[in-house]
Amino acid sequence: MTAPMDAGAASAIQDALGAEHGALWVYRLVSAFLPNDFDAAVQEGTNAHRARRDATELLLGNAGQNPRSAEPAYVTPQPVTDQASAIAVLVVAEADVTVAWRAVLERTDDKDLRSSALAGLTDAAVRATRWRRAGGQSPSTPPLPGAPA
């Protein structure tokens, strides 16, 4: 077991875990509204969020924290009814993940944790950019990915 983590960092990591749970739920939801040519991108996003969720749960457990469970469902910012709304909600989910991992960066000096949080932020920002481009959104990348809106 690793050393106990700072309460601020632990809270931020739990929030990042929650964002990962939410993103996984969104990827499952939108798969019903996207054509088959998006299958690879949806699978990649699902796999990436599942791996980061699992690693985050392990990190919290090794630090003596009880990882929060996923909610049974999440509320989307708008109804998902077609391809455009599915892509829009994916952008929101990925943006939420970037914000959550940035908060971890802001609350820890631990080198390994900062490296992991930066990877989480970067990976989600790249996926968000891809989804923005697929949805024809401009700009495709915000000036500071992960900055709270």
Side-chain angles (χ1 to χ4, degrees), residues 121-149:
L121 186 158
T122 302
D123 292 347
V126 168
R127 278 189 301 277
T129 296
R130 289 181 188 147
W131 287 119
R132 283 186 192 96
R133 292 176 102 182
Q137 294 182 22
S138 182
S140 58
T141 302
L144 295 171

Side-chain angles (χ1 to χ4, degrees), residues 24-88:
L24 277 167
W25 185 87
V26 166
Y27 272 92
R28 286 190 296 269
L29 169 71
V30 302
S31 65
F33 297 92
L34 295 174
N36 291 343
D37 44 327
F38 287 103
D39 285 353
V42 168
Q43 190 61 52
E44 184 274 331
T46 300
N47 291 344
H49 287 294
R50 184 178 296 118
R52 192 153 316 272
R53 177 208 56 197
D54 293 349
T56 304
E57 288 177 337
L58 184 61
L59 170 74
L60 286 163
N62 286 343
Q65 301 289 319
N66 185 20
R68 289 184 199 149
S69 298
E71 299 295 326
Y74 294 83
V75 177
T76 59
Q78 65 188 41
V80 178
T81 58
D82 57 14
Q83 179 177 323
S85 60
I87 290 172

Side-chain angles (χ1 to χ4, degrees), residues 112-126:
D112 292 335
L113 181 52
R114 288 182 61 79
S115 178
S116 178
L118 181 59
L121 186 158
T122 302
D123 292 347
V126 168

